[in-house]
Amino acid sequence: MVVTTGPEGSAPRRRRGRPGHDQAAILRAAVELFNRKGYDATSMGDLARELGLTKPAIYHHVAGKEQLLGQALDDALDELTAAVAEASRAQEGTTAYERLRAVVRRSVEVLVAHQPTVTLLLRVRGNSEVELAALERRRWIDDRLAELVADAVAEGALRGDVPPALVSRLLFGMVNSLVEWYRPDGAYDTATVADAVTALAFDGLARHETARSN
Amino acid sequence: MVVTTGPEGSAPRRRRGRPGHDQAAILRAAVELFNRKGYDATSMGDLARELGLTKPAIYHHVAGKEQLLGQALDDALDELTAAVAEASRAQEGTTAYERLRAVVRRSVEVLVAHQPTVTLLLRVRGNSEVELAALERRRWIDDRLAELVADAVAEGALRGDVPPALVSRLLFGMVNSLVEWYRPDGAYDTATVADAVTALAFDGLARHETARSN
């Protein structure tokens, strides 16, 4: 989590430098363009054209394309890291199973609220220092989730016949697929999707007695 | 399914030109490069360099970048379409539920066997005629799968409290996530992954009585 304070110093949260409205708008447009055209195929000239600005006007606000990418990836990673760190902390009176269910729901919420930057994050391939650093942070998240699944298996709450690391891949593969098809103005609100994901993942689609009684 | 015949010409099906070994190698390299750098950011010059060929040598075999993209997308789409068409056909003595389970397994097999071209397919955004045609074919597949889920719900085999279209998205979102992390030389063979996907999706991760007895 990157936390800075502004000039007046009253606890603004998590940002690099001192972005004003203009930088936020540039970042939003950059993320949209990176997702649409691909990061490598997008130039600062494309971004300038998209915003109706000159290139010098953009460079007045941001250092370059890679800085924009880094800020976008941090936006997604900070939220996901916070959710996973919370779930990873063993807490009095909660089981690993409960914390796993909670982090699945929370991940759905983060993906919906930060869809553009998470989309970008999930497409990162490690083609630069910034991308490699993001992959490193993703790996930390994946490792914590796999541990949480293993803990829930050890508790006896989850079936033990599928390797925990594979369960974790599939579970969050399903969650992450949201970025490809979810539309905020579509048929499903966040709670409906979160309910569906947890129902499918934990209780399964087949009509079991237990699934029915939940 | 891409079936062609050689120069003797008995019943060729669906392929552009008459690709020989060279064209197959060019196509493989192109798909690898498109996945690594992004389609838009890859030039025919990049492809030539990758293969250690001159651009004229490549153009001797293929018409251009978009033709390569079309062939790659057809490779993935033909297999997936065949699997889904098979599952969509109501058959004597099989239920929609059985056909849905079968097409989930078959999809895992296709994704593993055609991982590079399916990866490319899943990244298509509709930026050209070829991409729009591929999206149209994907939509046909998605619609059949959603119908199959709805049929299995109507049979009473699947829980009815999650919208079938949403179930279909999540189920195949999980399957499709394979292309991002599956490694053929990794810890899991195709059958292990197919078992894990069907166990998670249909029976759920939580230890239910029914899940245990399966």
Side-chain angles (χ1 to χ4, degrees):
Chain A
M1 212 132 305
V2 181
V3 180
T4 52
T5 50
E8 279 76 36
S10 54
R13 286 199 326 167
R14 178 182 329 155
R15 267 209 175 148
R16 283 194 184 138
R18 271 192 272 131
H21 174 74
D22 291 342
Q23 196 190 335
I26 292 170
L27 183 57
R28 257 197 315 277
V31 170
E32 196 275 322
L33 213 49
F34 294 162
N35 282 333
R36 177 150 47 92
K37 287 172 63 85
Y39 175 74
D40 291 317
T42 303
S43 68
M44 289 294 274
D46 295 332
L47 181 56
R49 257 190 307 282
E50 184 79 11
L51 287 161
L53 294 174
T54 61
K55 269 170 74 169
I58 289 195
Y59 280 112
H60 179 70
H61 293 286
V62 297
K65 199 171 93 156
E66 196 153 28
Q67 188 204 20
L68 288 167
L69 178 64
Q71 288 181 347
L73 297 177
D74 280 347
D75 175 74
L77 282 163
D78 290 349
E79 291 291 332
L80 293 170
T81 300
V84 170
E86 167 78 13
S88 293
R89 254 190 305 277
Q91 288 150 40
E92 191 114 358
T94 71
T95 63
Y97 177 64
E98 287 163 345
R99 285 179 282 120
L100 179 63
R101 282 191 81 117
V103 77
V104 167
R105 288 198 76 91
R106 181 71 196 128
S107 299
V108 170
E109 290 164 4
V110 171
L111 262 65
V112 166
H114 297 256
Q115 190 171 4
T117 56
V118 178
T119 302
L120 195 58
L121 173 65
L122 294 175
R123 294 190 190 153
V124 156
R125 294 290 163 262
N127 294 339
S128 65
E129 284 304 310
V130 168
E131 294 197 3
L132 288 170
L135 287 184
E136 190 60 38
R137 292 186 68 186
R138 273 199 72 182
R139 205 148 25 231
W140 184 89
I141 290 172
D142 289 345
D143 290 348
R144 294 298 80 69
L145 293 172
E147 284 170 6
L148 195 54
V149 170
D151 288 349
V153 171
E155 278 174 3
L158 290 196
R159 59 193 301 156
D161 59 348
V162 182
L166 183 50
V167 166
S168 171
R169 290 284 195 192
L170 292 172
L171 186 50
F172 290 90
M174 174 167 65
V175 171
N176 291 342
S177 77
L178 278 179
V179 303
E180 298 297 331
W181 57 263
Y182 185 77
R183 297 290 165 267
D185 52 357
Y188 315 116
D189 62 15
T190 312
T192 302
V193 177
D195 288 346
V197 168
T198 45
L200 194 163
F202 294 104
D203 301 321
L205 292 172
R207 263 187 199 275
H208 299 307
E209 287 312 306
T210 41
R212 246 191 310 222
S213 68
N214 281 350
Chain B
M1 218 137 298
V2 182
V3 180
T4 52
T5 53
E8 281 77 37
S10 51
R13 282 204 330 171
R14 184 176 325 158
R15 229 186 206 177
R16 296 178 184 142
R18 268 195 271 134
H21 174 73
D22 290 342
Q23 197 190 335
I26 293 170
L27 182 57
R28 257 197 315 277
V31 170
E32 197 275 321
L33 213 49
F34 295 161
N35 282 334
R36 177 149 47 90
K37 287 172 63 88
Y39 175 75
D40 291 317
T42 303
S43 69
M44 289 295 274
D46 295 332
L47 181 57
R49 258 190 307 282
E50 184 79 11
L51 286 160
L53 295 174
T54 61
K55 269 171 73 170
I58 289 194
Y59 280 110
H60 178 71
H61 293 286
V62 297
K65 199 171 93 156
E66 194 152 29
Q67 188 205 20
L68 288 167
L69 178 65
Q71 287 181 347
L73 297 177
D74 281 347
D75 174 73
L77 282 163
D78 290 349
E79 291 290 335
L80 293 170
T81 300
V84 171
E86 167 79 13
S88 294
R89 254 190 304 277
Q91 288 151 40
E92 191 114 359
T94 72
T95 62
Y97 177 65
E98 288 163 344
R99 285 178 282 119
L100 179 63
R101 281 190 82 116
V103 77
V104 168
R105 286 198 79 90
R106 180 72 195 127
S107 298
V108 170
E109 291 164 4
V110 170
L111 262 66
V112 167
H114 297 257
Q115 190 170 4
T117 56
V118 177
T119 301
L120 194 59
L121 174 64
L122 294 176
R123 293 189 190 155
V124 155
R125 294 290 163 263
N127 294 339
S128 65
E129 285 304 309
V130 167
E131 294 197 4
L132 287 170
L135 287 184
E136 190 61 37
R137 291 186 70 187
R138 272 198 74 182
R139 206 147 25 230
W140 183 89
I141 289 172
D142 289 345
D143 290 348
R144 296 297 80 68
L145 293 172
E147 283 170 8
L148 194 55
V149 170
D151 289 349
V153 171
E155 277 175 4
L158 290 197
R159 60 193 301 155
D161 59 348
V162 182
L166 183 51
V167 165
S168 171
R169 290 285 195 191
L170 292 172
L171 185 52
F172 290 91
M174 175 166 65
V175 171
N176 292 342
S177 77
L178 278 178
V179 302
E180 299 297 332
W181 56 263
Y182 185 76
R183 296 289 165 267
D185 53 357
Y188 314 115
D189 63 15
T190 312
T192 302
V193 177
D195 287 347
V197 168
T198 46
L200 194 162
F202 294 105
D203 300 322
L205 292 172
R207 264 187 198 277
H208 298 306
E209 285 312 306
T210 41
R212 245 193 311 226
S213 69
N214 279 350

